[in-house]
C-alpha cells in the first residue's frame, strides 16, 4: 500500500525481491527539494534490492554494509547533481531466510519494522529521531511524541556523511515460528495510529491486504482534519505454519 495522502506527489517507495531461499522487502521515505525526495527513496529501494539480489545480506554485518553502501550511492547522486544536494531518505529493510526460517531487519531514520506474534507486538524498531531520544530519556511519552512540533526531525537518514550516519540492525537473525505478521511502514502511517490500533486492525483482518486496507482507513479518518498530511506506505507479510 502506498498512498499520496494530502501531498502533491508521493515521495515514498517500496519493493521486494526473492529467490527460492531468500526474501528481501525494503521501504523508503524521501525528502529534499526539486523532486529529490522521490529520487532518493527510489534510489534507496533499487540499490538495496540490487545489492541483496547479488549477495543476500542475511547476517547483521552484511545487512549493515548493504545499507552503508546504499548511503554512499545516494551521496554520489547528490554530488553529481547540485539540485539534489539536500535530498535524503529513510530506509527499512527486512530479510527472511525461508529455509532456516529466520528474519533480520535494519533501518535508518523513522520508517519502521513491526513484528507481531500471535497477534501481539513482539519486535519494533526505534526511530533515529529527536522525539525518540526524548522518549528514551524519559522526557516524553508515545502520545506526546505524536503531537510534538519537532516529531519529524531526524538525527540520521540516508544522505548523511561520516560519523553522523546511524544504522541499526537486529543483533542476530530472529527465529520465525510461523505465527508472525510483519510490517514495514513510513511515518505517514504510524504517526496517526498507535501500536495498539495496529494490533487491533490485525486481529480483525482475514488476510494481509485487509490489514493494510483497515490501516489506510484509520489513517484517513485520523488525518481528516489535516488535508495536507504526509504520504503513507506499508508492506505486510504473514507467515503460516505450513
Amino acid at each position: 500500500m502506498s498512498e499520496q495522502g494530502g501531498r502533491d506527489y508521493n515521495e515514498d517507495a517500496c519493493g521486494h525481491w526473492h529467490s527460492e531461499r531468500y526474501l528481501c522487502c525494503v521501504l523508503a521515505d524521501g525528502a529534499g527539494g526539486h523532486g529529490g525526495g522521490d529520487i532518493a527513496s527510489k534510489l534507496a529501494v533499487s540499490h538495496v534490492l540490487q545489492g541483496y539480489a547479488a549477495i543476500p545480506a542475511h547476517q547483521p554485518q552484511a545487512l549493515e554494509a548493504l545499507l552503508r553502501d546504499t548511503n554512499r550511492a545516494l551521496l554520489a547522486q547528490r554530488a553529481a547533481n547540485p539540485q539534489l544536494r539536500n535530498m535524503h531518505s529513510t530506509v527499512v529493510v527486512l530479510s527472511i531466510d525461508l529455509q532456516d526460517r529466520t528474519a533480520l531487519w535494519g533501518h535508518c531514520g523513522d520508517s519502521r519494522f513491526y513484528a507481531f506474534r500471535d497477534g501481539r507486538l513482539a519486535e519494533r524498531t526505534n526511530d533515529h529521531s529527536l522525539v525518540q531520544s526524548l522518549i528514551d530519556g524519559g522526557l516524553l511519552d508515545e502520545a506526546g511524541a505524536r503531537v510534538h512540533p519537532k516529531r519529524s526531525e531526524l538525527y540520521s537518514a540516508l544522505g548523511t556523511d561520516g560519523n553522523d550516519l546511524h544504522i541499526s540492525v537486529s543483533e542476530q537473525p530472529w527465529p520465525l515460528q510461523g505465527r508472525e505478521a510483519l510490517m514495514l511502514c513510513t511515518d505517514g502511517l504510524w504517526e496517526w495510529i498507535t501500536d495498539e490500533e495496529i494490533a487491533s486492525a490485525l486481529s480483525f483482518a482475514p488476510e494481509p491486504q485487509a490489514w493494510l486496507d483497515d490501516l489506510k482507513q484509520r489513517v484517513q479518518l485520523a488525518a481528516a482534519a489535516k488535508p495536507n498530511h504526509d504520504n503513507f506506505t506499508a508492506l505486510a507479510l504473514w507467515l503460516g505454519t505450513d
Side-chain angles (χ1 to χ4, degrees):
M1 172 185 70
S2 190
E3 297 292 326
Q4 188 169 320
R7 300 295 173 86
D8 292 334
Y9 48 90
N10 193 344
E11 293 185 309
D12 293 350
C14 63
H16 58 87
W17 172 91
H18 72 88
S19 63
E20 289 188 3
R21 177 168 181 176
Y22 293 103
L23 166 67
C24 178
C25 301
V26 58
L27 179 149
D29 178 1
H34 303 285
D38 179 44
I39 294 171
S41 62
K42 289 180 179 177
L43 188 155
V45 168
S46 64
H47 195 89
V48 167
L49 293 180
Q50 289 172 13
Y52 191 97
I55 303 177
H58 195 70
Q59 292 297 325
Q61 289 182 332
L63 185 55
E64 180 175 347
L66 176 57
L67 291 175
R68 291 190 178 277
D69 189 61
T70 302
N71 185 62
R72 285 190 289 270
L74 200 152
L75 288 172
Q77 184 77 359
R78 290 194 348 175
N81 189 337
Q83 282 194 318
L84 303 178
R85 65 184 179 275
N86 294 319
M87 76 173 183
H88 59 271
S89 179
T90 68
V91 67
V92 57
V93 181
L94 168 66
S95 169
I96 291 182
D97 184 329
L98 300 167
Q99 178 177 301
D100 291 346
R101 299 184 70 84
T102 57
L104 186 76
W105 54 87
H107 79 289
C108 181
D110 63 356
S111 290
R112 292 181 177 178
F113 167 73
Y114 288 83
F116 294 86
R117 175 171 285 160
D118 294 326
R120 296 182 179 182
L121 183 62
E123 298 283 347
R124 197 202 83 185
T125 52
N126 281 333
D127 308 326
H128 300 133
S129 66
L130 171 66
V131 294
Q132 184 62 54
S133 66
L134 294 175
I135 292 172
D136 294 343
L139 302 175
L140 194 67
D141 60 16
E142 292 280 353
R146 294 175 189 281
V147 296
H148 196 281
K150 294 187 176 182
R151 61 186 178 278
S152 297
E153 187 170 316
L154 303 179
Y155 68 75
S156 188
L158 298 184
T160 300
D161 206 354
N163 295 328
D164 291 331
L165 178 68
H166 296 273
I167 291 172
S168 297
V169 177
S170 46
E171 294 182 359
Q172 58 188 5
W174 190 60
L176 295 168
Q177 299 175 3
R179 305 191 309 274
E180 291 86 11
L182 312 178
M183 183 177 71
L184 293 72
C185 70
T186 61
D187 67 323
L189 186 143
W190 64 254
E191 72 169 322
W192 297 103
I193 311 175
T194 65
D195 294 356
E196 291 74 20
E197 288 174 312
I198 295 174
S200 175
L202 174 61
S203 69
F204 290 109
E207 44 84 26
Q209 190 59 54
W211 188 26
L212 294 185
D213 289 344
D214 189 336
L215 295 177
K216 174 182 174 180
Q217 292 178 355
R218 290 172 188 249
V219 170
Q220 291 174 333
L221 182 62
K226 189 178 180 182
N228 65 336
H229 68 95
D230 199 2
N231 320 137
F232 59 100
T233 299
L235 191 156
L237 176 67
W238 288 11
L239 287 91
T241 55
D242 302 347

